[in-house]
Coordinates of all heavy atoms in Angstrom, one line a residue:
A1 N 0.8 -1.2 0.0 CA -0.1 0.1 0.0 C 0.8 1.2 0.0 O 1.8 1.3 0.7 CB -0.9 0.0 1.3
R2 N 0.5 2.2 -0.8 CA 1.3 3.5 -0.9 C 0.7 4.5 0.0 O -0.5 4.7 0.2 CB 1.2 3.9 -2.3 CG 2.5 4.1 -3.0 CD 2.4 4.7 -4.3 NE 3.7 5.4 -4.3 CZ 4.1 5.9 -5.4 NH1 3.5 5.8 -6.6 NH2 5.2 6.5 -5.4
R3 N 1.6 5.2 0.7 CA 1.1 6.3 1.6 C 1.0 7.5 0.8 O 1.8 7.9 -0.1 CB 2.1 6.6 2.7 CG 2.2 5.4 3.7 CD 3.2 5.8 4.7 NE 3.4 4.6 5.7 CZ 4.1 4.8 6.7 NH1 4.8 5.8 7.0 NH2 4.2 3.6 7.5
S4 N 0.0 8.4 1.1 CA -0.2 9.6 0.5 C 0.5 10.7 1.1 O 0.6 11.9 0.6 CB -1.8 9.9 0.3 OG -2.3 10.0 1.6
V5 N 1.0 10.6 2.3 CA 1.7 11.7 3.0 C 3.2 11.7 2.6 O 3.7 10.7 2.2 CB 1.5 11.6 4.6 CG1 0.2 11.7 5.0 CG2 2.2 10.3 5.0
S6 N 3.8 12.8 2.8 CA 5.2 13.0 2.5 C 6.0 12.0 3.4 O 5.8 11.9 4.5 CB 5.6 14.4 2.7 OG 7.0 14.4 2.7
E7 N 6.9 11.3 2.8 CA 7.8 10.4 3.6 C 9.2 11.0 3.6 O 10.1 10.2 3.9 CB 7.7 9.0 3.1 CG 6.4 8.4 3.2 CD 6.4 6.9 2.7 OE1 7.4 6.3 2.7 OE2 5.3 6.4 2.6
T8 N 9.3 12.3 3.3 CA 10.7 12.9 3.3 C 11.2 13.0 4.7 O 10.5 13.3 5.6 CB 10.6 14.3 2.7 OG1 10.1 14.2 1.3 CG2 11.9 14.9 2.6
V9 N 12.4 12.7 4.9 CA 13.1 12.7 6.2 C 14.0 13.8 6.2 O 14.9 13.9 5.3 CB 13.8 11.4 6.6 CG1 14.4 11.5 7.9 CG2 12.7 10.2 6.7
L10 N 14.0 14.6 7.2 CA 14.9 15.8 7.4 C 16.0 15.5 8.4 O 15.6 14.9 9.4 CB 14.1 17.1 7.8 CG 12.9 17.5 7.0 CD1 12.2 18.6 7.7 CD2 13.3 17.8 5.6
D11 N 17.2 16.0 8.1 CA 18.2 15.8 9.1 C 18.2 17.0 10.0 O 17.4 18.0 9.8 CB 19.6 15.5 8.5 CG 20.2 16.8 7.8 OD1 19.7 17.9 7.9 OD2 21.1 16.5 6.9
L12 N 19.0 17.1 11.0 CA 19.0 18.2 12.0 C 19.2 19.5 11.4 O 18.6 20.5 11.7 CB 20.0 17.9 13.1 CG 20.1 19.0 14.2 CD1 18.8 19.1 15.0 CD2 21.2 18.7 15.1
N13 N 20.2 19.6 10.4 CA 20.4 20.9 9.8 C 19.2 21.3 8.9 O 18.9 22.6 9.0 CB 21.6 20.8 8.9 CG 22.9 20.6 9.7 OD1 23.1 21.1 10.8 ND2 23.9 20.0 9.1
E14 N 18.5 20.5 8.3 CA 17.3 20.9 7.6 C 16.2 21.3 8.5 O 15.5 22.3 8.2 CB 16.9 19.6 6.7 CG 17.8 19.3 5.6 CD 17.4 18.1 4.9 OE1 17.2 17.1 5.5 OE2 17.5 18.1 3.6
V15 N 16.1 20.6 9.6 CA 15.0 21.0 10.7 C 15.4 22.4 11.2 O 14.5 23.2 11.3 CB 15.0 20.0 11.9 CG1 14.1 20.4 13.0 CG2 14.4 18.6 11.4
R16 N 16.6 22.6 11.5 CA 17.0 23.9 12.0 C 17.0 25.1 11.0 O 16.9 26.2 11.5 CB 18.5 23.9 12.6 CG 18.4 22.8 13.8 CD 19.7 22.9 14.5 NE 20.1 24.2 15.0 CZ 21.3 24.6 15.3 NH1 22.3 23.8 15.0 NH2 21.5 25.9 15.7
T17 N 16.9 24.7 9.7 CA 16.7 25.8 8.8 C 15.2 26.3 8.8 O 14.9 27.4 8.5 CB 17.0 25.5 7.3 OG1 16.2 24.4 6.8 CG2 18.6 25.1 7.2
R18 N 14.3 25.4 9.2 CA 12.9 25.6 9.3 C 12.5 26.2 10.6 O 11.5 26.8 10.7 CB 12.0 24.3 8.9 CG 12.3 23.9 7.5 CD 11.7 22.5 7.3 NE 12.2 22.1 6.0 CZ 11.4 21.5 5.2 NH1 10.1 21.3 5.4 NH2 11.9 21.0 4.0
I19 N 13.2 25.8 11.6 CA 12.8 26.2 13.0 C 14.1 26.7 13.6 O 15.0 25.9 13.9 CB 12.4 24.8 13.8 CG1 11.1 24.3 13.1 CG2 12.0 25.2 15.2 CD1 10.8 22.9 13.6
P20 N 14.2 27.9 13.9 CA 15.5 28.4 14.5 C 15.7 28.2 15.9 O 15.7 29.1 16.8 CB 15.2 30.0 14.2 CG 13.9 30.2 14.3 CD 13.2 28.9 13.7
L21 N 15.8 26.9 16.3 CA 16.1 26.4 17.6 C 17.5 25.7 17.7 O 17.8 25.1 16.7 CB 15.0 25.5 18.1 CG 13.6 26.1 18.3 CD1 12.6 24.9 18.6 CD2 13.5 27.2 19.2
S22 N 18.1 25.8 18.8 CA 19.3 25.0 18.9 C 19.1 23.5 19.0 O 17.9 23.1 19.3 CB 20.1 25.5 20.2 OG 19.4 25.0 21.3
R23 N 20.2 22.8 18.8 CA 20.0 21.2 19.0 C 19.5 21.0 20.4 O 18.7 20.1 20.6 CB 21.4 20.7 18.8 CG 21.6 19.3 19.1 CD 23.1 18.9 19.0 NE 23.7 19.2 17.8 CZ 24.2 18.4 16.9 NH1 24.2 17.1 17.1 NH2 24.6 18.8 15.8
T24 N 20.0 21.7 21.4 CA 19.6 21.4 22.8 C 18.1 21.8 23.0 O 17.4 21.0 23.6 CB 20.4 22.2 23.8 OG1 21.8 21.8 23.5 CG2 20.0 21.9 25.2
Q25 N 17.7 22.9 22.4 CA 16.2 23.2 22.6 C 15.3 22.3 21.9 O 14.3 21.9 22.4 CB 16.0 24.6 21.9 CG 16.6 25.7 22.7 CD 16.5 27.1 22.0 OE1 17.0 27.1 20.8 NE2 16.1 28.1 22.6
I26 N 15.7 21.7 20.7 CA 14.9 20.7 20.1 C 14.9 19.5 20.9 O 13.8 18.9 21.1 CB 15.5 20.4 18.6 CG1 15.3 21.7 17.7 CG2 14.9 19.2 18.0 CD1 16.0 21.5 16.4
W27 N 16.0 19.1 21.5 CA 16.0 17.8 22.3 C 15.1 18.0 23.5 O 14.5 17.1 23.9 CB 17.6 17.6 22.7 CG 17.7 16.5 23.6 CD1 17.8 15.1 23.3 CD2 17.9 16.5 25.0 NE1 18.0 14.4 24.3 CE2 18.0 15.1 25.5 CE3 17.8 17.4 26.0 CZ2 18.1 14.7 26.8 CZ3 18.0 17.1 27.4 CH2 18.1 15.8 27.7
R28 N 15.2 19.2 24.2 CA 14.3 19.4 25.4 C 12.9 19.3 25.1 O 12.1 18.7 25.8 CB 14.6 20.7 26.0 CG 16.0 20.7 26.8 CD 16.3 22.1 27.4 NE 17.6 22.0 28.0 CZ 18.3 23.1 28.2 NH1 18.0 24.3 27.6 NH2 19.5 22.9 28.8
L29 N 12.5 19.9 23.8 CA 11.1 19.9 23.5 C 10.7 18.4 23.2 O 9.5 18.0 23.5 CB 10.9 20.8 22.3 CG 10.9 22.3 22.5 CD1 10.9 23.0 21.2 CD2 9.8 22.7 23.4
E30 N 11.6 17.6 22.5 CA 11.3 16.3 22.3 C 11.1 15.4 23.5 O 10.2 14.6 23.6 CB 12.5 15.6 21.5 CG 12.4 15.6 20.1 CD 13.6 14.8 19.5 OE1 14.8 15.3 19.6 OE2 13.4 13.7 19.0
R31 N 11.9 15.6 24.6 CA 11.9 15.0 25.8 C 10.5 15.2 26.5 O 10.1 14.3 27.2 CB 13.1 15.3 26.7 CG 14.4 15.0 26.2 CD 14.8 13.6 26.3 NE 15.0 13.2 27.7 CZ 15.3 12.1 28.2 NH1 15.5 11.2 27.4 NH2 15.4 11.9 29.4
T32 N 10.0 16.4 26.4 CA 8.7 16.7 27.1 C 7.5 16.4 26.2 O 6.4 16.6 26.5 CB 8.7 18.3 27.4 OG1 8.8 19.0 26.3 CG2 9.8 18.5 28.4
G33 N 7.7 15.9 25.0 CA 6.6 15.5 24.1 C 6.1 16.7 23.3 O 5.0 16.7 22.7
E34 N 6.8 17.9 23.4 CA 6.3 19.1 22.7 C 6.8 19.2 21.3 O 6.6 20.2 20.6 CB 6.7 20.3 23.5 CG 6.1 20.4 24.9 CD 6.6 21.5 25.7 OE1 6.3 22.7 25.3 OE2 7.2 21.3 26.7
F35 N 7.5 18.3 20.7 CA 8.1 18.3 19.5 C 8.2 16.9 18.9 O 8.2 15.9 19.6 CB 9.6 18.8 19.6 CG 10.2 19.2 18.2 CD1 9.9 20.4 17.6 CD2 11.1 18.4 17.6 CE1 10.5 20.8 16.4 CE2 11.7 18.7 16.4 CZ 11.4 19.9 15.8
P36 N 8.0 16.8 17.6 CA 8.0 15.5 17.0 C 9.3 14.6 17.3 O 10.4 15.2 17.4 CB 7.8 15.7 15.5 CG 7.4 17.1 15.4 CD 7.8 17.8 16.6
G37 N 9.1 13.3 17.5 CA 10.2 12.5 17.8 C 11.0 12.2 16.7 O 10.5 12.1 15.5
R38 N 12.3 12.0 16.9 CA 13.2 11.6 15.8 C 13.0 10.1 15.4 O 12.5 9.3 16.2 CB 14.7 12.0 16.2 CG 15.1 11.1 17.5 CD 16.4 11.6 18.0 NE 16.4 12.9 18.5 CZ 17.4 13.6 18.8 NH1 18.6 13.2 18.4 NH2 17.2 14.8 19.3
I39 N 13.5 9.8 14.3 CA 13.5 8.4 13.8 C 14.9 8.1 13.6 O 15.7 8.8 13.1 CB 12.6 8.1 12.6 CG1 13.0 9.0 11.5 CG2 11.1 8.3 13.0 CD1 12.3 8.8 10.2
R40 N 15.2 6.8 13.9 CA 16.6 6.3 13.7 C 16.8 5.9 12.3 O 16.0 5.1 11.8 CB 16.9 5.1 14.7 CG 18.3 4.6 14.5 CD 18.9 4.0 15.7 NE 18.8 4.7 16.9 CZ 19.7 5.7 17.3 NH1 20.6 6.0 16.3 NH2 19.7 6.3 18.4
L41 N 17.8 6.3 11.6 CA 18.0 6.0 10.2 C 19.2 5.1 10.1 O 19.4 4.3 9.1 CB 18.3 7.3 9.4 CG 17.2 8.4 9.4 CD1 17.7 9.6 8.8 CD2 15.9 7.8 8.8
G42 N 20.0 5.1 11.1 CA 21.2 4.1 11.1 C 21.9 4.2 12.5 O 21.3 4.9 13.4
P43 N 23.0 3.6 12.7 CA 23.6 3.6 14.0 C 24.0 5.0 14.5 O 23.8 5.2 15.7 CB 24.9 2.8 13.8 CG 24.8 2.2 12.5 CD 23.7 2.8 11.7
N44 N 24.3 5.9 13.6 CA 24.7 7.3 14.0 C 24.0 8.4 13.3 O 24.4 9.4 13.2 CB 26.3 7.4 13.8 CG 27.1 6.5 14.6 OD1 26.8 6.3 15.9 ND2 28.0 5.8 14.0
R45 N 22.7 8.1 12.9 CA 22.1 9.0 12.1 C 20.5 9.0 12.5 O 20.0 7.9 12.6 CB 22.2 8.7 10.6 CG 21.6 9.7 9.7 CD 22.5 9.8 8.5 NE 21.9 10.7 7.5 CZ 22.3 11.9 7.3 NH1 23.3 12.5 7.9 NH2 21.6 12.6 6.4
V46 N 20.0 10.2 12.7 CA 18.6 10.3 13.0 C 18.0 11.4 12.1 O 18.7 12.2 11.5 CB 18.3 10.7 14.5 CG1 18.8 9.7 15.4 CG2 18.9 12.1 14.8
G47 N 16.7 11.4 12.0 CA 16.0 12.4 11.2 C 14.6 12.6 11.7 O 14.1 12.0 12.7
W48 N 13.9 13.5 11.1 CA 12.5 13.8 11.5 C 11.6 13.8 10.2 O 12.1 14.3 9.1 CB 12.4 15.2 12.1 CG 13.0 15.3 13.5 CD1 12.3 15.2 14.6 CD2 14.3 15.5 13.9 NE1 13.2 15.3 15.7 CE2 14.4 15.5 15.3 CE3 15.5 15.6 13.1 CZ2 15.6 15.6 15.9 CZ3 16.7 15.8 13.8 CH2 16.7 15.7 15.2
R49 N 10.4 13.3 10.3 CA 9.5 13.2 9.1 C 9.1 14.6 8.8 O 8.7 15.4 9.7 CB 8.3 12.4 9.5 CG 8.7 10.9 9.4 CD 7.5 10.0 9.7 NE 6.4 10.4 8.8 CZ 5.1 10.0 8.8 NH1 4.8 9.1 9.8 NH2 4.3 10.4 8.1
E50 N 9.2 15.0 7.6 CA 9.0 16.3 7.1 C 7.4 16.7 7.4 O 7.2 17.9 7.9 CB 9.2 16.5 5.6 CG 8.9 18.0 5.1 CD 9.3 18.0 3.6 OE1 9.0 17.1 2.9 OE2 9.7 19.1 3.2
D51 N 6.6 15.8 7.2 CA 5.2 16.2 7.5 C 4.9 16.4 8.9 O 4.1 17.3 9.3 CB 4.2 15.1 6.9 CG 4.4 13.7 7.6 OD1 5.6 13.4 7.9 OD2 3.5 12.9 7.6
E52 N 5.6 15.7 9.8 CA 5.5 16.0 11.2 C 6.0 17.4 11.7 O 5.4 18.2 12.5 CB 6.1 14.9 12.1 CG 5.4 13.6 12.0 CD 5.9 12.5 12.8 OE1 7.0 12.7 13.5 OE2 5.4 11.4 12.8
I53 N 7.1 17.7 11.1 CA 7.7 19.0 11.3 C 6.8 20.2 10.8 O 6.6 21.1 11.5 CB 9.2 19.1 10.7 CG1 10.1 18.1 11.4 CG2 9.7 20.6 10.8 CD1 10.3 18.2 12.9
S54 N 6.2 20.0 9.5 CA 5.3 20.9 9.0 C 4.1 21.1 9.9 O 3.7 22.3 10.2 CB 4.9 20.6 7.6 OG 6.1 20.6 6.8
S55 N 3.6 20.0 10.3 CA 2.4 20.1 11.2 C 2.7 20.8 12.6 O 1.9 21.6 13.1 CB 1.9 18.7 11.5 OG 1.4 18.2 10.4
W56 N 3.9 20.6 13.1 CA 4.3 21.2 14.3 C 4.4 22.7 14.2 O 3.9 23.5 14.9 CB 5.7 20.6 14.8 CG 6.1 21.2 16.2 CD1 5.6 20.7 17.3 CD2 6.9 22.3 16.4 NE1 6.3 21.5 18.4 CE2 7.1 22.4 17.8 CE3 7.6 23.2 15.5 CZ2 7.8 23.5 18.3 CZ3 8.4 24.2 16.1 CH2 8.5 24.3 17.4
I57 N 5.0 23.1 13.0 CA 5.1 24.6 12.7 C 3.8 25.3 12.6 O 3.5 26.3 13.2 CB 5.9 24.8 11.4 CG1 7.4 24.3 11.6 CG2 5.9 26.2 11.0 CD1 8.2 24.3 10.4
E58 N 2.9 24.5 11.9 CA 1.5 25.1 11.7 C 0.7 25.2 13.0 O -0.2 25.9 13.2 CB 0.8 24.2 10.7 CG 1.2 24.4 9.2 CD 0.7 23.4 8.3 OE1 -0.4 22.8 8.6 OE2 1.2 23.3 7.2
S59 N 1.0 24.3 14.0 CA 0.3 24.3 15.2 C 0.8 25.3 16.2 O 0.1 25.6 17.2 CB 0.5 22.9 15.9 OG 1.8 22.7 16.5
R60 N 1.9 26.0 15.9 CA 2.5 27.0 16.8 C 1.6 28.3 16.7 O 1.1 28.7 15.6 CB 3.9 27.3 16.4 CG 4.8 26.2 16.3 CD 4.8 25.4 17.6 NE 5.4 26.1 18.7 CZ 5.2 25.7 20.0 NH1 4.6 24.7 20.3 NH2 5.7 26.5 21.0
P61 N 1.3 29.0 17.8 CA 0.5 30.2 17.7 C 1.3 31.3 16.9 O 2.5 31.4 17.0 CB 0.4 30.5 19.1 CG 1.4 29.8 20.0 CD 1.7 28.6 19.2
A62 N 0.5 32.0 16.2 CA 1.1 33.2 15.4 C 1.4 34.3 16.4 O 0.6 34.6 17.3 CB 0.1 33.5 14.3
V63 N 2.4 35.1 16.1 CA 2.7 36.2 16.9 C 2.1 37.4 16.2 O 2.3 37.7 15.0 CB 4.3 36.4 16.9 CG1 4.6 37.7 17.6 CG2 4.9 35.2 17.6
S64 N 1.3 38.1 16.9 CA 0.7 39.4 16.3 C 1.3 40.6 16.9 O 1.8 40.6 18.0 CB -0.9 39.3 16.6 OG -1.2 40.0 17.8
D65 N 1.3 41.6 16.1 CA 1.9 42.9 16.6 C 1.1 43.6 17.6 O 1.6 44.4 18.4 CB 2.0 43.9 15.3 CG 3.0 43.4 14.3 OD1 3.9 42.7 14.7 OD2 2.9 43.8 13.2
G66 N -0.2 43.2 17.9 CA -0.9 43.7 18.9 C -0.8 43.2 20.3 O -1.3 43.7 21.3
E67 N 0.1 42.1 20.4 CA 0.4 41.6 21.7 C 1.4 42.4 22.5 O 2.3 42.9 21.9 CB 0.9 40.1 21.5 CG -0.2 39.2 21.1 CD 0.3 37.8 21.0 OE1 1.2 37.4 21.8 OE2 -0.3 37.1 20.2
P68 N 1.2 42.4 23.8 CA 2.2 43.2 24.6 C 3.6 42.5 24.6 O 3.6 41.2 24.5 CB 1.7 43.2 26.0 CG 0.6 42.2 26.0 CD 0.2 41.9 24.6
H69 N 4.7 43.2 24.6 CA 6.0 42.6 24.6 C 6.6 42.7 25.9 O 6.2 43.5 26.9 CB 6.9 43.4 23.6 CG 6.4 43.3 22.2 ND1 6.6 42.2 21.4 CD2 5.6 44.2 21.5 CE1 6.0 42.4 20.2 NE2 5.5 43.6 20.2
A70 N 7.6 41.9 26.3 CA 8.2 41.8 27.6 C 8.8 43.1 28.1 O 8.8 43.5 29.2 CB 9.3 40.7 27.6
N71 N 9.2 43.9 27.1 CA 9.8 45.2 27.5 C 8.8 46.4 27.6 O 9.1 47.5 27.9 CB 10.9 45.6 26.4 CG 12.1 44.7 26.5 OD1 12.3 44.0 27.5 ND2 12.8 44.5 25.4
D72 N 7.5 46.1 27.3 CA 6.5 47.1 27.4 C 6.1 47.5 28.8 O 6.1 46.7 29.7 CB 5.2 46.8 26.6 CG 5.5 46.9 25.1 OD1 6.5 47.4 24.7 OD2 4.7 46.3 24.4

């Protein structure tokens, strides 16, 4: 059976070009279940499913200019 969803796997550098977080920040979010889990590609290689990363990005709240800022 063929899957209709994207099966593209992103490495850490590709994830970080889409999400400006450090390796440590991504790891912490993963550990708390707030970020998609990595998949093992080999003994020393991991990746993330592109569709899961895209869904995670879309689920994040948008920042609006009308919200108060910490320095206000």
Side-chain angles (χ1 to χ4, degrees):
R2 241 184 144 170
R3 292 185 184 179
S4 60
V5 297
S6 168
E7 293 186 18
T8 302
V9 177
L10 306 174
D11 67 17
L12 179 62
N13 291 331
E14 292 171 314
V15 170
R16 291 187 64 207
T17 62
R18 296 168 190 226
I19 302 165
L21 297 175
S22 73
R23 172 188 305 243
T24 303
Q25 289 170 310
I26 291 171
W27 179 81
R28 286 180 182 148
L29 289 170
E30 267 187 286
R31 299 280 292 179
T32 62
E34 298 176 64
F35 192 78
R38 61 187 71 198
I39 55 174
R40 181 157 302 284
L41 302 172
N44 298 311
R45 188 143 172 104
V46 297
W48 289 262
R49 288 184 48 192
E50 182 179 35
D51 59 334
E52 290 180 359
I53 297 300
S54 295
S55 294
W56 184 85
I57 292 169
E58 291 172 14
S59 74
R60 307 305 297 164
V63 176
S64 88
D65 291 335
E67 292 185 24
H69 299 280
N71 294 335
D72 289 348

